[in-house]
C-alpha cells in the first residue's frame, strides 16, 4: 500500500468513527438541524461546532451541575441550543453576539428548539457586555467562541465570572497545531496567548483536546480549582 493510500485509509477510518459516534451519542433533532439550515439560508458563515462538540458541552454542563451558562459568540445559536438543553428547570443561558442579524437568527432558532424560555441573546461587543454580567455571576460554565484576538481578555472575564468548580471552554484552540507555536499571523496571536495562560494559570486544571470533525481543531477546557 502506498503512503498516500495509507493516509487516505486513516482519514476514512477517522471519518467513519466520527460519524458512528455522532449517530450513537450526538444525533441532531429538528431544532438543531433547522438552526444550521436557517444559518445557511441567511448566509451566515458555517463555523458552528460539531455535534460531538455540542454533546461534549452538555456533558461538561452536567458534570458541574450547571444552572447558569454564559456563551461568548452565538452565531446562529447551534452551540447555544446544545448548552441551553443541558440546563435543569429554572436554569439560565446567556449568549453574547455582536452582529444583530446573527442575534435575530439565534432568537428564532432558540424558540424553534424549545429553549427560548431559558435563553437570552445580548447584542453588542462582548468586552462591552461582560462588565454588566458581574451582578449575574457566578456562571457554572463559560463557553468562549467569538473573535479570536481578545481570547486572553475573555479568559480574564471568565475567571471573574465563575466560581471554584466552574468550567471554562474555548473553541478553536488547536488550529492544526498553530495554536501552540509562535504566531505567524495576527489571527493566531490571541489564541496562542490564551493557550499559554489557560495551560499555566495556577487557578485552573486545563487541557486542549482535538475533537472537531477532522481532528485538526478543538476545545481548550479548564475547571476552576477549589483552592
Ligand atoms: N458558538 C457558535 C459559533 C460562533 S462563531 C456555534 O458553535 O454555533 C463566532 C460568533 O462571534 C459570530 O457570530 C460573530 O458575529 C461573533 N462575534 C465576533 N466578534 C464578537 C464580539 N466582539 N463580541 C461578541 N460576538 C462577537
Ligand atoms: C472561525 C471562527 C470560529 O469560531 C470557528 O469555529 C471556525 C472559524 C473563523 O473566524 O474563521
Ligand atoms: Mg469556533
Amino acid at each position: 500500500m502506498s503512503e498516500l493510500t495509507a493516509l487516505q485509509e486513516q482519514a476514512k477510518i477517522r471519518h467513519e468513527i466520527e460519524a458512528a459516534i455522532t449517530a450513537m451519542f450526538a444525533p441532531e433533532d429538528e431544532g438543531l438541524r433547522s438552526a444550521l439550515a436557517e444559518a445557511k439560508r441567511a448566509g451566515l458563515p458555517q463555523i458552528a461546532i460539531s455535534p460531538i462538540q455540542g454533546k461534549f458541552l452538555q456533558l461538561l454542563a452536567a458534570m458541574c451541575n450547571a444552572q447558569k451558562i454564559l456563551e461568548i459568540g452565538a452565531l446562529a445559536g447551534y452551540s447555544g441550543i446544545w448548552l441551553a438543553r443541558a440546563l435543569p428547570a429554572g436554569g439560565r443561558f446567556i449568549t453574547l453576539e455582536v452582529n444583530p442579524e446573527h442575534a435575530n437568527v439565534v432568537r428564532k432558532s432558540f424558540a424553534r428548539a424549545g429553549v427560548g424560555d431559558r435563553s437570552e441573546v445580548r447584542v453588542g461587543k462582548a468586552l462591552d457586555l461582560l462588565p454588566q454580567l458581574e451582578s449575574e455571576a457566578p456562571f457554572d460554565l463559560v463557553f468562549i467562541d467569538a473573535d479570536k484576538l481578545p481570547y486572553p481578555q475573555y479568559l480574564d472575564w471568565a475567571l471573574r465570572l465563575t466560581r471554584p468548580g466552574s468550567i471554562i471552554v474555548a473553541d478553536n484552540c488547536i488550529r492544526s497545531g498553530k495554536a501552540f507555536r509562535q504566531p505567524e499571523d495576527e489571527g493566531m496571536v490571541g489564541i496562542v496567548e490564551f493557550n499559554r495562560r489557560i495551560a499555566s494559570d495556577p487557578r485552573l486544571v486545563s487541557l486542549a483536546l482535538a475533537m472537531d470533525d477532522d481532528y485538526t481543531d478543538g476545545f481548550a477546557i479548564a475547571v476552576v480549582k477549589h483552592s
Side-chain angles (χ1 to χ4, degrees):
M1 200 190 285
S2 78
E3 212 168 309
L4 182 60
T5 323
L7 285 172
Q8 284 168 335
E9 183 66 18
Q10 275 175 28
K12 183 165 158 272
I13 289 169
R14 277 206 303 270
H15 183 77
E16 284 167 1
I17 293 170
E18 163 89 16
I21 295 173
T22 301
M24 185 171 286
F25 291 94
E28 293 172 322
D29 73 343
E30 200 40 48
L32 286 161
R33 275 194 299 267
S34 67
L36 292 180
E38 184 64 29
K40 202 169 177 182
R41 221 179 49 79
L44 270 49
Q46 290 171 50
I47 53 174
I49 57 167
S50 71
I52 289 176
Q53 287 180 294
K55 185 62 182 285
F56 189 61
L57 288 177
Q58 288 192 337
L59 183 67
L60 293 172
M63 283 172 165
C64 66
N65 187 28
Q67 320 275 322
K68 281 194 282 182
I69 297 176
L70 172 65
E71 177 181 74
I72 308 176
L75 188 61
Y78 183 82
S79 54
I81 293 169
W82 284 103
L83 281 168
R85 283 179 172 171
L87 288 167
R92 295 297 301 160
F93 175 71
I94 297 175
T95 186
L96 312 181
E97 173 54 53
V98 74
N99 187 318
E101 288 165 37
H102 295 189
N104 285 338
V105 175
V106 174
R107 290 194 184 100
K108 256 196 256 174
S109 294
F110 282 175
R112 216 182 280 132
V115 298
D117 53 337
R118 70 196 87 159
S119 310
E120 193 186 330
V121 189
R122 298 196 185 167
V123 182
K125 284 188 195 171
L127 288 175
D128 295 336
L129 298 172
L130 284 161
Q132 298 159 31
L133 285 165
E134 251 163 335
S135 61
E136 290 157 280
F139 291 87
D140 307 297
L141 190 152
V142 177
F143 177 48
I144 301 167
D145 192 16
D147 48 336
K148 308 309 171 194
L149 201 55
Y151 260 40
Q153 285 151 281
Y154 295 153
L155 180 60
D156 289 340
W157 275 108
L159 281 159
R160 280 177 92 133
L161 298 173
T162 51
R163 56 164 175 85
S166 290
I167 291 174
I168 299 170
V169 187
D171 192 28
N172 309 112
C173 288
I174 308 254
R175 292 297 206 192
S176 303
K178 287 186 187 151
F180 312 113
R181 294 196 288 266
Q182 209 59 254
E184 283 156 27
D185 56 273
E186 180 81 343
M188 289 311 306
V189 170
I191 304 267
V192 170
E193 178 61 18
F194 178 90
N195 276 337
R196 279 196 200 111
R197 290 205 205 171
I198 200 171
S200 61
D201 192 306
R203 294 167 290 183
L204 300 172
V205 180
S206 63
L207 188 65
L209 269 182
M211 61 177 322
D212 73 336
D213 49 8
D214 57 7
Y215 299 89
T216 58
D217 207 351
F219 290 162
I221 307 143
V223 61
V224 181
K225 280 196 230 175
H226 295 265
S227 48

